Amino acid sequence: MPLPTVPTDAFLLNLPKAELHLHVEGTLEPDLKLTLAARNNIELDQKTIEEVEASYQFNDLASFLAVYYPAMNVLQTEEDFYELAMAYFKRAAANGVKRTEMFFDPQAHTSRGVPFADVVNGYYRATQDAAQLGVSAELIMCFLRDFTAESAAEHLELSIPFKDKILGLGLDSDERNNPPAKFADVFAKGRELGYKLTMHCDIDQIGSIENIRQVIEDIQVDRIDHGTNIVENPDLITVVKEKGLGLTCCPVSNSFVTADMKAAEITQLLRDGVKVTLNSDDPAYFGGYIGKNYIDYAAKSGVSSAEMVQIAKNSFDVCWISDEQKAQYAAEIDAYVANFHE
Ligand code: ADE
Ligand code: ZN
């Protein structure tokens, strides 16, 4: 019997998986932050790794974002963006990640005077070099939903010369008073340009259910980031299943921005046949890469090894890749399970 009787940490860490909800700026570890600050002559309030870690005080999305954006000041040059992404790919590879479709926030950099091209070119070069680590990586350009729709439209225009380097569009930052409908025109134009579409539907937001309805019916996204609040609405569960939409859940992140990791909700959706996936969101801030998300979720939920394998299979199934590539990754999981020994 190759499946472990309970999903052990080693089994979950090395299980082949895709990471589909990862903000590359959220992988800025304290040591790299200090290194980049020194290199770029940026004055920081914190001088040691411990001081940087101590500054990570948040208990909801808004207080997290208030820590998150200022930290990005240390990212200045194309090389900085390259190094940040490469550091993530090394950790991803060590967590069994074979494929990632990862977010970046250009407006968090252009708003500080960093050229759009430096951001995209640095990240893109890293995605190419990720192949040497056994990780296939592509980029999703997110708009900041607390910025204007005009700013999003301007960045969509800026992206056109780089279209071959960007797989899709996303929407992140503070959901409060910034519903999906605010960006309907920008995302419609993005669809015409050939981008895949996803949007954050963060956990327990005011208007979560209406916002999820908008992303499905009005925006017609190809995936939903978070979105576990559909457990409150059976009609939304039905439509998510009918459309085969993936949900990119982030249990460790959930436990920082809400009271718990929402393991019960994720399990309910998994057992109902929704294509839920597990991801790390902003691992440098929430203290755990994707392997920890698999391990902590399995421990909290008590799901079986077979159910954890299903989650990993879901992660490839809802990637924006060809059916042939999906089949190859599914076969890779099957081979891993067949050869696993406790
Ligand atoms: N930006 C980085 N992480 C985010 C999250 N979990 N929700 C919204 N915006 C984010
Ligand atoms: Zn996120």
Side-chain angles (χ1 to χ4, degrees), residues 23-25 68-69 72 103-110 119 123 140-144 172-173:
H23 301 263
V24 64
E25 290 90 356
Y68 180 67
Y69 291 117
M72 295 180 201
F103 305 132
F104 71 107
D105 282 348
Q107 289 156 295
H109 313 301
T110 57
V119 181
Y123 286 149
I140 299 173
M141 180 172 92
C142 283
F143 302 117
L144 300 184
D172 62 8
S173 199

Side-chain angles (χ1 to χ4, degrees), residues 69-323:
Y69 291 117
M72 295 180 201
N73 287 342
V74 300
L75 295 161
Q76 294 285 335
T77 67
E78 184 189 313
E79 183 62 25
D80 298 342
F81 295 102
Y82 174 84
E83 285 180 27
L84 174 65
M86 284 311 291
Y88 163 63
F89 294 137
K90 289 190 186 116
R91 289 174 186 268
N95 278 251
V97 172
K98 307 295 172 191
R99 163 85 182 163
T100 178
E101 297 170 4
M102 67 181 195
F103 305 132
F104 71 107
D105 282 348
Q107 289 156 295
H109 313 301
T110 57
S111 61
R112 304 182 282 114
V114 177
F116 182 85
D118 291 0
V119 181
V120 178
N121 288 334
Y123 286 149
Y124 181 73
R125 186 158 56 87
T127 63
Q128 300 306 101
D129 290 351
Q132 295 157 15
L133 299 165
V135 179
S136 157
E138 293 194 72
L139 297 171
I140 299 173
M141 180 172 92
C142 283
F143 302 117
L144 300 184
R145 66 200 306 160
D146 45 352
F147 282 32
T148 62
E150 289 72 30
S151 173
E154 282 162 24
H155 284 78
L156 184 62
E157 285 296 318
L158 284 176
S159 79
I160 293 173
F162 300 88
K163 242 201 86 307
D164 292 347
K165 298 179 175 172
I166 300 171
L167 179 63
L169 303 177
L171 185 70
D172 62 8
S173 199
D174 198 352
E175 189 165 329
R176 193 183 169 121
N177 297 328
N178 297 299
K182 175 176 167 185
F183 298 92
D185 291 348
V186 182
F187 275 71
K189 174 89 189 292
R191 166 84 72 209
E192 276 170 30
L193 288 167
Y195 288 118
K196 291 286 195 179
L197 307 181
T198 186
M199 284 184 167
H200 275 56
C201 294
D202 263 288
I203 307 294
D204 296 346
Q205 296 291 299
I206 297 167
S208 270
I209 293 298
E210 167 58 15
N211 288 356
I212 296 171
R213 189 203 63 72
Q214 287 180 13
V215 303
I216 298 170
E217 291 176 12
D218 304 340
I219 311 294
Q220 304 215 354
V221 290
D222 301 293
R223 211 157 55 211
I224 300 176
D225 300 315
H226 299 295
T228 40
N229 283 83
I230 64 169
V231 291
E232 298 157 22
N233 187 308
D235 292 345
L236 283 178
I237 296 179
T238 302
V239 68
V240 162
K241 282 186 350 194
E242 275 171 8
K243 291 180 184 286
L245 287 172
L247 297 193
T248 63
C249 305
C250 307
V252 174
S253 160
N254 293 348
S255 68
F256 276 85
V257 297
T258 74
D260 74 15
M261 65 167 78
K262 305 291 180 190
E265 289 82 349
I266 295 168
T267 305
Q268 179 189 327
L269 293 170
L270 173 70
R271 291 183 175 162
D272 205 356
V274 175
K275 292 177 182 172
V276 294
T277 66
L278 299 180
N279 309 270
S280 68
D281 207 1
D282 301 287
Y285 292 87
F286 300 138
Y289 284 76
I290 191 169
K292 180 171 166 59
N293 277 270
Y294 273 63
I295 289 164
D296 287 5
Y297 165 74
K300 183 81 191 280
S301 66
V303 300
S304 66
S305 297
E307 286 173 310
M308 292 307 296
V309 169
Q310 182 62 50
I311 288 174
K313 286 198 168 170
N314 289 347
S315 74
F316 293 116
D317 194 25
V318 302
C319 280
W320 296 331
I321 54 179
S322 69
D323 288 345

